[in-house]
């Protein structure tokens, strides 16, 4: 399944790195905790980082009821946001070809404020379970006072694109004779072992959902999980069935 | 030295985490390789990640001459961009107080295209030396053809703000009696040991500027360097001299 290509989400620079595959885009969104939202205030564009949750084709943001960004998004009724994982620095013999390995997604969506207690709780549940899967069932749910102080926005993803760059350093043919060093510096986002709060109640042990979160992050870094996943854009040449097969295999491992 | 507080950069939510200190903001900018730029096309806001360079109060962006983002920035004559480092996930007993440790900066600036070969080279030098310090002297400089294909923008930082959050998980007093686990999952951006390009010319060894870059990144992660640096916002209460002293000590270590 792909997101529709429109004038807004079609990648023009670096088309070979582009993907509109839903699973690829969702996977990049699920790997990250923080996105950067673009919004307008008085006709001027702002960029601001914020955490989010994803469930199917929906994203969720939350903030104080007086928050400038969420107010601007409600006024606009739509949003563009982006996420990016940096995977490596690529150093080449020429200044011109220096580059990075990365996975990024730019998402466009319709914004709707969730107003009933039930809807707000569901939105917040998706944010908390995006943060650490399964967490919602292991913490105190928001009470009426907390819900009243919180604005929850639902974003229906209407279009999106990913860029996935995983190629080795590349130089102009004549530059390979130069004496400059070229190579790759891998970059990894490492989630370390959970540290209990110093005021933790006696007898409360590290729960399995937190341990599993830690183990899964570690596993993905170790296996070079992404080194395989980033082949998606190449796989697309083999057709939608190959992509679906690839993702179903990868999401299980 | 602080950036001036204006209606655009003054932090309204989480004021205690806010800093306008130039050294703090520059340090956050220098730790990161990638920022997210907000820009308008036909009145709609876009968010897009891109690499950058910093030198004093100036940032530098580059792209193809046909790039939509740089075209939009030139048209606007100004820009807002943000960077963020995620340092930890904070899991609390209540859903409401889940949060993250982070260092972010939002920068506002005036945009100017660099048009002479000399200016463009200087801008690109600052981007490459931001990427890996000292790199410019160890690669082939851009030739006229490459320069012609590249647009280089200089951004004069006119105002900016940082948010630095490093406090431990905090819950409502009555929630400490609950049986839910609370704690911190530290997150680190790890730069691994440089891998030589497989087509590297025989006899070319890993240069000291690349090794030093690797060692410095490793050292900062090991020492919990940021655990001390993030005290800046508290230090400001002690006055500008304390901040200056703190930074001069920290930047040397």
């Amino acid at each position: 399944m792909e997101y529709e290509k429109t004038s807004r989400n079609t990648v023009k620079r670096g088309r070979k790195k582009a993907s509109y595959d839903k699973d690829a885009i969702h996977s990049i969104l699920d790997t990250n905790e923080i996105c950067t939202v673009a919004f307008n205030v008085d006709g001027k564009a702002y960029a601001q980082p914020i955490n989010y949750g994803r469930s199917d084709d929906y994203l969720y943001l939350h903030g104080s009821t007086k928050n400038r960004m969420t107010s601007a998004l409600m006024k606009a009724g739509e949003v563009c946001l982006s996420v990016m994982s940096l995977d490596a620095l690529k150093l080449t013999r020429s200044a011109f070809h220096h580059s990075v390995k990365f996975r990024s997604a730019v998402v466009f969506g319709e914004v709707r404020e969730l107003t009933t207690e039930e809807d707000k709780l569901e939105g917040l549940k998706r944010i908390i379970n995006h943060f650490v899967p399964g967490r919602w069932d292991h913490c105190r749910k928001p009470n009426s006072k907390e819900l009243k102080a919180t604005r929850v926005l639902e974003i229906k993803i209407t279009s999106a694109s990913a860029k996935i760059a995983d190629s080795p350093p590349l130089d102009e043919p004549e530059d390979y004779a130069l004496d400059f060093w070229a190579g790759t510096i891998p970059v990894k986002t490492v989630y370390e072992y959970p540290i209990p709060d110093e005021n933790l109640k006696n007898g409360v042990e590290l729960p399995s959902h937190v341990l599993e979160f830690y183990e899964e992050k570690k596993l993905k870094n170790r296996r070079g999980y992404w080194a395989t996943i980033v082949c998606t854009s190449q796989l697309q040449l083999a057709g939608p069935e190959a992509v679906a097969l690839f993702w179903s295999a990868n999401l299980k491992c």
Side-chain angles (χ1 to χ4, degrees), chain A:
Chain A
M1 286 282 285
E2 289 204 343
Y3 284 110
E4 191 191 354
K5 287 189 212 179
T6 70
S7 62
R8 294 201 77 188
N9 74 326
T10 300
V11 174
K12 303 225 174 62
R13 304 288 119 206
R15 285 178 206 204
K16 285 182 192 164
K17 302 186 188 96
S19 170
Y20 303 90
D21 182 74
K22 282 196 177 189
D23 288 335
I25 290 164
H26 292 174
S27 171
I28 293 168
L29 288 167
D30 291 350
T31 299
N32 284 281
E33 304 285 350
I34 306 291
C35 68
T36 305
V37 169
F39 60 99
N40 270 316
V41 176
D42 298 332
K44 290 180 190 297
Y46 288 74
Q48 197 171 302
I50 189 173
N51 74 312
Y52 62 94
R54 183 190 75 83
S55 180
D56 296 325
D57 275 336
Y58 293 89
L59 297 179
Y60 298 86
L61 304 179
H62 79 303
S64 145
T65 48
K66 290 173 187 164
N67 182 279
R68 180 177 64 173
M69 178 179 69
T70 52
S71 300
L73 295 185
M74 283 163 60
K75 196 177 163 195
E78 59 181 7
V79 64
C80 170
L81 58 85
S82 71
V83 298
M84 174 158 167
S85 297
L86 178 65
D87 293 325
L89 310 186
K90 296 198 289 185
L91 281 65
T92 50
R93 295 148 191 90
S94 61
F96 188 75
H97 285 295
H98 278 68
S99 183
V100 293
K101 295 187 183 186
F102 67 94
R103 290 158 286 140
S104 69
V106 176
V107 171
F108 301 88
E110 292 167 6
V111 175
R112 180 171 81 97
E113 185 184 10
L114 301 180
T115 51
T116 68
E117 283 216 350
E118 196 186 343
D119 284 352
K120 286 170 89 166
L121 279 170
E122 185 61 30
L124 292 170
K125 176 181 173 180
R126 291 173 183 189
I127 290 172
I128 292 282
N129 280 342
H130 180 104
F131 198 65
V132 174
R135 182 67 187 161
W136 184 257
D137 289 337
H138 299 276
C139 60
R140 177 179 65 70
K141 311 296 173 287
N143 57 36
S144 290
K145 189 183 154 201
E146 290 169 341
L147 277 181
K148 216 171 256 180
T150 308
R151 180 181 280 161
V152 187
L153 300 185
E154 181 180 77
I155 297 164
K156 186 187 176 185
I157 304 177
T158 51
S159 71
S161 62
K163 265 188 160 182
I164 299 168
D166 189 43
S167 60
L170 196 70
D171 267 305
E172 299 297 326
E174 62 272 24
D175 287 340
Y176 284 85
L178 297 173
D179 286 330
F180 297 125
W181 187 86
T184 303
I185 303 175
V187 181
K188 282 181 182 163
T189 303
V190 173
Y191 290 69
E192 297 191 331
Y193 198 80
I195 301 167
D197 179 30
E198 59 181 23
N199 298 311
L200 196 66
K201 189 178 166 184
N202 274 344
V204 174
E205 294 191 356
L206 189 67
S208 59
H209 71 283
V210 178
L211 189 62
E212 278 162 20
F213 174 79
Y214 163 75
E215 293 289 355
E216 202 191 313
K217 290 282 185 188
K218 193 170 67 171
L219 196 67
K220 284 183 181 175
N221 267 332
R222 268 205 194 145
R223 275 198 196 166
Y225 179 79
W226 285 107
T228 53
I229 281 198
V230 288
C231 300
T232 317
S233 48
Q234 275 76 47
L235 256 182
Q236 281 168 352
L237 302 172
E241 279 177 31
V243 174
L245 192 70
F246 172 81
W247 280 98
S248 68
N250 244 302
L251 295 174
K252 277 177 213 144
C253 82

